[in-house]
């Protein structure tokens, strides 16, 4: 019960670019979304809701990915059935190459701590949140690990597959996801909403790494918004970025 309430609260305070993106695609006949790090679908639900308020005739296709198969997606399924758009969901992870990996879930905070590259489990962020938000949780059952399949964007989508927006929220694994989309980004121009999650001491390097990589494809930064609920009383920093490709 409290975890659902916490998720709704964090979703409410999380930064987003819905207003910009919904306006950008308001006159589109088709809207194709790839949501990587789907969890319960808050990003896609919010964006689709705003677009449909402006343009009820748009044909929407959603491709979502999240290795956590234990997530209850009943609310999003009801939203999908009511609005009748195309939706394909996979429990495959997205990364830089095809392989098997270990996926880690922080059982107290599955929305924030589920990742291949889990930097939160030994962080001060986790310790402070655990004290205040899950003080009576099972200390011995801190995490769950399981093996998952990892695939790349380049192997899943062809140059001719038109995607309007990629959202990448994978708890510290964004660079690997982008690396696996190299060929697609060379030949296409989707808008990119990318989360960078890192220890504060490493954040500048992680940010520069992604900025330099996207600059190779002529992407520019449109906006950035910080997750203040992550940043406060924490050794972790989290920022969302919106990128668009410059016209040639």
């Amino acid at each position: 019960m409290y975890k659902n309430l916490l998720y709704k609260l964090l979703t409410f305070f999380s930064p987003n670019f819905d207003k910009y993106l919904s306006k950008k695609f308001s006159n589109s006949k088709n809207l194709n979304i790839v949501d990587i790090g789907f969890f319960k679908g808050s990003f896609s639900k919010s964006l689709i809701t705003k677009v449909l308020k402006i343009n009820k005739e748009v044909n929407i296709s959603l491709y979502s990915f999240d290795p956590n198969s234990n997530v209850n997606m009943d609310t999003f399924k009801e939203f999908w059935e009511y609005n009748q758009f195309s939706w394909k969901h996979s429990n495959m992870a997205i990364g830089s190459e095809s392989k098997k990996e270990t996926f880690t879930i922080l059982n107290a905070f599955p929305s924030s701590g589920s990742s291949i590259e889990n930097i939160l489990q030994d962080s001060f962020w986790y310790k402070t949140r655990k004290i205040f938000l899950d003080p009576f949780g099972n200390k011995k059952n801190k995490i769950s690990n399981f093996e998952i399949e990892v695939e790349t964007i380049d192997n899943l989508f062809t140059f001719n597959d038109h995607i309007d927006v990629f959202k990448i929220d994978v708890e510290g694994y964004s660079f690997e996801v982008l690396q696996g989309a190299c060929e697609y980004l060379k030949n296409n121009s989707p808008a990119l909403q990318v989360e960078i999650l890192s220890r504060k001491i490493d954040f500048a390097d992680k940010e520069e790494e992604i900025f330099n990589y996207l600059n190779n494809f002529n992407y520019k930064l449109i906006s950035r918004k910080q997750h203040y609920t992550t940043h406060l009383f924490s050794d972790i920093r989290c920022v969302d970025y919106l990128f668009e490709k410059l016209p040639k």
Side-chain angles (χ1 to χ4, degrees), residues 1-8 10 39-40 68 104-114 118 120-121 125-145:
M1 177 79 175
Y2 82 90
K3 290 181 182 179
N4 288 331
L5 181 61
L6 176 62
Y7 173 70
K8 290 179 180 178
L10 292 176
F39 196 61
K40 294 184 179 181
N68 190 347
T104 301
I105 297 174
L106 293 185
N107 294 324
F109 310 107
S111 62
S112 299
S114 302
N118 198 300
L120 297 177
Q121 59 183 310
W125 176 94
Y126 176 80
K127 294 173 183 176
T128 55
R129 272 62 178 174
K130 188 77 169 61
I131 290 171
F132 290 108
L133 300 174
D134 190 35
F136 304 111
N138 186 345
K139 295 182 179 179
K140 294 182 179 180
N141 194 25
K142 176 181 174 181
I143 63 173
S144 297
N145 292 318

Side-chain angles (χ1 to χ4, degrees), residues 86-112:
S86 173
W87 176 35
K88 296 180 180 179
H89 182 72
S90 172
N91 290 126
M92 184 182 297
I94 305 299
S96 60
E97 59 182 320
S98 302
K99 59 181 177 179
K100 292 181 185 283
E101 269 284 10
T102 299
F103 190 76
T104 301
I105 297 174
L106 293 185
N107 294 324
F109 310 107
S111 62
S112 299

Side-chain angles (χ1 to χ4, degrees), residues 153-187:
I153 290 296
D154 285 340
N155 286 340
L156 294 173
F157 296 95
T158 70
F159 299 163
N160 296 323
D161 291 327
H162 179 75
I163 303 299
D164 295 289
V165 56
F166 279 91
K167 168 261 194 176
I168 304 171
D169 181 354
V170 287
E171 309 302 317
Y173 204 65
S174 294
F175 183 61
E176 288 78 2
V177 173
L178 291 167
Q179 284 181 308
C182 177
E183 294 302 319
Y184 190 87
L185 295 179
K186 280 182 185 177
N187 295 278

Side-chain angles (χ1 to χ4, degrees), residues 2-244:
Y2 82 90
K3 290 181 182 179
N4 288 331
L5 181 61
L6 176 62
Y7 173 70
K8 290 179 180 178
L9 184 65
L10 292 176
T11 298
F12 179 80
F13 285 108
S14 292
N16 64 70
F17 307 103
D18 291 355
K19 186 176 180 180
Y20 179 91
L21 290 172
S22 59
K23 184 177 180 181
K24 176 180 175 67
F25 300 118
S26 60
N27 295 318
S28 299
K29 292 183 178 180
N30 302 293
L31 175 59
N32 301 316
I33 304 166
V34 173
D35 189 335
I36 303 168
F38 186 71
F39 196 61
K40 294 184 179 181
S42 61
F43 165 84
S44 292
K45 183 178 179 182
S46 179
L47 178 57
I48 291 170
T49 298
K50 286 181 172 62
V51 170
L52 288 176
K53 282 183 178 179
I54 302 170
N55 180 7
K56 289 183 170 28
E57 303 303 317
V58 62
N59 296 310
I60 297 172
S61 294
L62 169 64
Y63 306 89
S64 59
F65 300 88
D66 199 305
N68 190 347
S69 59
N70 297 321
V71 176
N72 185 334
M73 295 195 294
D74 288 348
T75 299
F76 190 85
K77 287 178 180 177
E78 291 174 5
F79 172 77
W80 164 59
E81 290 169 353
Y82 178 80
N83 289 285
Q84 296 186 335
F85 55 88
S86 173
W87 176 35
K88 296 180 180 179
H89 182 72
S90 172
N91 290 126
M92 184 182 297
I94 305 299
S96 60
E97 59 182 320
S98 302
K99 59 181 177 179
K100 292 181 185 283
E101 269 284 10
T102 299
F103 190 76
T104 301
I105 297 174
L106 293 185
N107 294 324
F109 310 107
S111 62
S112 299
S114 302
S115 180
I116 293 174
E117 190 168 303
N118 198 300
I119 65 170
L120 297 177
Q121 59 183 310
D122 297 315
S123 68
F124 186 65
W125 176 94
Y126 176 80
K127 294 173 183 176
T128 55
R129 272 62 178 174
K130 188 77 169 61
I131 290 171
F132 290 108
L133 300 174
D134 190 35
F136 304 111
N138 186 345
K139 295 182 179 179
K140 294 182 179 180
N141 194 25
K142 176 181 174 181
I143 63 173
S144 297
N145 292 318
F146 53 93
E147 190 176 77
I148 57 169
E149 296 287 340
V150 181
E151 194 49 88
T152 70
I153 290 296
D154 285 340
N155 286 340
L156 294 173
F157 296 95
T158 70
F159 299 163
N160 296 323
D161 291 327
H162 179 75
I163 303 299
D164 295 289
V165 56
F166 279 91
K167 168 261 194 176
I168 304 171
D169 181 354
V170 287
E171 309 302 317
Y173 204 65
S174 294
F175 183 61
E176 288 78 2
V177 173
L178 291 167
Q179 284 181 308
C182 177
E183 294 302 319
Y184 190 87
L185 295 179
K186 280 182 185 177
N187 295 278
N188 296 277
S189 305
L192 303 174
Q193 179 172 321
V194 181
E195 177 198 78
I196 299 180
L197 176 79
S198 172
R199 295 187 183 275
K200 289 179 180 177
I201 193 171
D202 301 320
F203 190 87
D205 291 339
K206 297 291 185 182
E207 184 182 57
E208 183 179 17
E209 181 178 54
I210 286 180
F211 275 45
N212 288 342
Y213 181 79
L214 290 178
N215 187 56
N216 294 328
F217 308 107
N218 212 28
Y219 271 90
K220 68 171 182 176
L221 177 67
I222 301 298
S223 184
R224 58 183 284 165
K225 297 182 180 181
Q226 182 159 281
H227 289 251
Y228 288 102
T229 54
T230 302
H231 181 73
L232 295 174
F233 308 109
S234 170
D235 54 346
I236 300 294
R237 189 177 180 193
C238 183
V239 181
D240 279 357
Y241 302 81
L242 182 65
F243 298 94
E244 286 188 335

